[in-house]
Amino acid sequence: MEGKGMVDFDAIRAEFPILDQSVYGHPLVYLDSAATAQKPQCVIDAEADFYRHDNAAVHRGAHELAARSTVAFERARASMARLVGACADEGGEEIVVTGGATAGLNLLATAFGNASLGRGGSAAARFALHPGDEIVVSKAEHHSVLLPFQELAARTGATLKWLDLDEEGRIRSDMADEVITERTRVVAVTHVANVTGAITNLAPIVRRAHAVGALVVLDACQSVPHLKVDVHALDVDFAVWSAHKMYGPTGVGFLYGRRELLEALPPANFGGSMVELAWMDRPAQYMAPPAKFEAGTQPVAQVVAAGAAAEWMMAIGMDAIATHEHEVAAELLKLGDVDGVSILGPCENRDRIGTVAFDVDGVHPHDVGQFIDAQGIAIRVGHHCAQPVHRHFGVYASNRASSGVYNSVADAQALVEAVSKVRAFFRV
Amino acid sequence: MDFGMSGDDLEQMYQEVILEASRNPHGRERFAPDLASEQSAQAGESVVRASHEYCAAGESHQFNPTCGDEATIHAEVSDGGDGRPHTIERLVWDGHGCSISQASLSIMVDLVEGKTVDEAMRLAGLFHQLMDSRGAGLSDESAEEDLGDAVVFQGVSKYPMRIKCALLGWEGMKASVAEALARMQ
């Protein structure tokens, strides 16, 4: 692991122009990176520079700009592949551009649905779901995982099952052998839960899923920005994440799929740039992945900027980022020591990231958030698109602080101090 | 306490009347499903029944997706059979939410229960104007007087993210009264 002293995190923070501002007279403390991360200057520049110098349609046209933008687009794909340990070789690409993690999950659910209707032929039979088959998720899932697979189950007659949570809100990996059965075809689970910040113990889930021939879909939205992720080492079949949570632009995300699976999976979106031969009276012949899944004009400038974000993260080092945020997490967890405050999720700084959801007894999250905001500190309040996990804790909503690479221990201390004043202000 | 530049705004928003009303809200009864419970039934599935024969009841489920606040508002409106105008005979609600939404529901119940439907709708219109005032309040002093305690929400109107909290109950009142009236047809 790289030594912490090697990286100057104050200098890294200074690369984010948006953080250099006051809110209500206080220096901005941004602790809402699980919702969306801020962007370093190099990412902002990458997008602007692309439009200033290279912009053209990719993978078509023979002019100089078309060539440059195609190279930039494919180079960004390769950067993203390296960030998560996927294959970046030409012809062996395992990274598909999507409109975001939600779009990636819907792409998969739609493609599995198409396979269930017989599309993609016998090669795609492994993705098909039939009545009696099972899809397994967890109770910690973001609605973006739960709903596309709940809908897929409804469309195919499959049954939706789920892994429960323990008292701390961790996914019960020990239930994998019981919940994942011979009828299970798909297991969709989060790598890091967006409310509790808990890192899922994936190994028992992946092992069991593969033992019964099920595919594993990983929601990596909250892990890729904060941890070293190696999709091959994790042995998952598919993974999705969004660029905007990893210091890149909005409107773009990525889908990892094992190459052989991407080759067998039928497409979900149809149109230009994904077809080799199209006829009026014969079935079309689709391109090889990743193009097969990238119908229509892609968000090229955003992909290029996302690639710059990936390179920027790798230059800092994912181990160094994880170590730094681990220290911020330790400070955030001191929220649990504040009178009347309870943490929804693991209280110990182990197998978790710096995403800490908490409840202030007697004060609604919306009021907590307003009070915290008045101190110039941005946190998220509400159900964070994960209602079932809140029901697990018996609450409607919560407050959530989430770290990014630019946060300091002092940021976390400022939050803890502000939270310690909340109950007095609201006279509870 | 030092709350920096925004301290005054924060104090103005969370006036004592609001904090007090949110702690002991008027008109709140338990009749709707608890959506924080894993055993909960569907939202808005409570049985709508009027307590008086000369009334029709209406119910409206209001939800604020940004923060998960919700309220089910139950209104009972007299049928006007005696030649008198339709009147809100009973107004109760169930739900949960931030202090702004809870206090607004409470103050609304105090203000419109027992009033004619026309008067309640006029007050709802005034409250809407207050919420649209971006912190300026209403120019018409007698209108402000009519709103009674509800004028304390003037400070909330500066915060676009919170206006919906204050309006949640009023929207539910309008919808539930409309449903009760429709049932009389």
Side-chain angles (χ1 to χ4, degrees), chain A residues 61-229:
Chain A
H63 54 77
E64 167 64 17
L65 295 189
R68 265 195 247 153
S69 54
T70 301
V71 167
F73 183 72
E74 290 305 323
R75 199 173 276 164
R77 187 197 306 278
S79 296
M80 202 56 68
R82 277 198 302 281
L83 180 70
V84 299
C87 181
D89 300 344
E90 200 179 331
E93 295 95 341
E94 293 183 310
I95 298 294
V96 174
V97 171
T98 69
T102 302
L105 289 157
N106 279 281
L107 184 159
L108 284 177
T110 303
F112 293 171
N114 291 347
S116 308
L117 295 169
R119 304 301 297 156
S122 57
R126 64 202 300 183
F127 307 110
L129 287 144
H130 302 291
D133 287 343
E134 297 167 352
I135 300 172
V136 171
V137 296
S138 90
K139 218 195 265 180
E141 298 312 314
H142 190 280
H143 296 163
S144 298
V145 175
L146 172 63
L147 300 179
F149 287 102
Q150 198 170 60
E151 283 292 323
L152 177 65
R155 286 201 302 276
T156 57
T159 305
L160 187 81
K161 295 168 71 180
W162 54 88
L163 294 162
D164 216 325
L165 309 180
D166 68 13
E167 275 178 24
E168 281 193 312
R170 285 188 189 278
I171 294 172
R172 292 272 310 269
S173 296
D174 60 303
M175 287 173 68
D177 287 357
E178 180 191 328
V179 176
I180 301 168
T181 73
E182 296 290 337
R183 303 304 307 264
T184 305
R185 307 305 313 276
V186 178
V187 178
V189 71
T190 189
H191 194 187
V192 174
N194 78 311
V195 174
T196 62
I199 301 172
T200 308
N201 178 12
L202 282 176
I205 298 171
V206 174
R207 201 183 307 127
R208 173 64 177 169
H210 286 167
V212 300
L215 297 160
V216 178
V217 177
L218 189 70
D219 171 4
C221 284
Q222 303 293 346
S223 56
V224 167
H226 307 288
L227 306 171
K228 188 167 195 142
V229 173

Side-chain angles (χ1 to χ4, degrees), chain A residues 24-26 139 364 366-367 370-371 374-375 381-383 387-388 391-392 394-397 421 425-428, chain B residues 3-6 10-11 13-14 16 19 23 34-38 65-67 69 96-99 159 162 165:
Chain A
Y24 300 123
H26 299 271
K139 218 195 265 180
H364 188 275
H366 224 160
D367 296 320
Q370 193 80 48
F371 181 86
Q375 334 290 313
V381 297
H383 54 58
Q387 293 176 6
R391 259 174 232 125
H392 173 78
V395 295
Y396 303 97
K421 294 174 183 163
F425 181 84
F426 290 99
R427 331 268 199 277
V428 290
Chain B
F3 297 113
M5 280 175 67
S6 60
L10 204 63
E11 297 280 2
M13 177 169 180
Y14 290 112
E16 197 57 51
L19 293 179
R23 274 194 298 269
D34 179 5
L35 294 185
S37 161
E38 292 185 330
T66 50
C67 54
D69 287 358
H96 60 89
C98 65
S99 59
Y159 296 87
R162 303 305 297 275
C165 305

Side-chain angles (χ1 to χ4, degrees), chain A residues 4 7-16 19 30-34 36-40 43 224-227 245-248 309 312-326 328 354 402-409 411:
Chain A
K4 186 199 168 251
V7 180
D8 179 356
F9 281 95
D10 289 338
I12 286 170
R13 181 194 180 95
E15 290 183 49
F16 290 79
L19 297 178
Y30 187 78
L31 282 167
D32 195 17
S33 298
T36 197
Q38 301 302 347
K39 324 302 172 196
V43 169
V224 167
H226 307 288
L227 306 171
K245 292 189 204 289
M246 49 161 283
Y247 316 107
W312 180 82
M313 289 165 71
M314 287 187 279
I316 298 168
M318 288 313 299
D319 287 333
I321 290 174
T323 304
H324 172 71
E325 289 195 55
H326 185 73
V328 177
S402 54
S403 72
V405 62
Y406 31 67
N407 288 119
S408 62
V409 166
D411 288 348

Side-chain angles (χ1 to χ4, degrees), chain A residues 288-300:
Chain A
K292 179 168 66 168
F293 301 103
E294 296 175 357
T297 300
Q298 298 299 301
V300 181

Side-chain angles (χ1 to χ4, degrees), chain B residues 40-174:
Chain B
S40 153
Q42 292 291 305
E45 266 196 359
S46 77
V47 181
V48 182
R49 204 180 294 129
S51 10
H52 304 289
E53 269 179 25
Y54 61 91
C55 284
E59 212 160 84
S60 168
H61 179 249
Q62 295 286 321
F63 186 61
N64 180 353
T66 50
C67 54
D69 287 358
E70 63 172 337
T72 304
I73 291 95
H74 173 102
E76 293 172 23
V77 179
S78 66
D79 60 13
D82 50 4
R84 309 235 301 261
H86 294 302
T87 301
I88 300 174
E89 297 287 340
R90 186 162 177 255
L91 188 66
V92 292
W93 57 278
D94 189 6
H96 60 89
C98 65
S99 59
I100 303 298
S101 68
Q102 304 297 282
S104 185
L105 276 151
S106 173
I107 290 168
M108 177 190 75
V109 167
D110 289 345
L111 207 53
V112 308
E113 196 174 37
K115 296 273 195 327
T116 65
V117 168
D118 288 348
E119 176 63 0
M121 293 303 155
R122 188 181 72 87
L123 292 170
L126 290 177
F127 190 73
H128 222 292
Q129 278 176 34
L130 181 73
M131 286 297 104
D132 284 341
S133 74
R134 295 165 186 266
L138 300 179
S139 48
D140 181 350
E141 266 183 43
S142 81
E144 284 199 341
E145 222 162 272
D146 291 348
L147 279 179
D149 275 353
V151 294
V152 297
F153 293 97
Q154 184 179 327
V156 176
S157 70
K158 275 190 203 168
Y159 296 87
M161 308 290 282
R162 303 305 297 275
I163 291 171
K164 199 163 178 196
C165 305
L167 287 174
L168 188 82
W170 289 88
E171 293 301 320
M173 184 275 288
K174 288 195 288 186

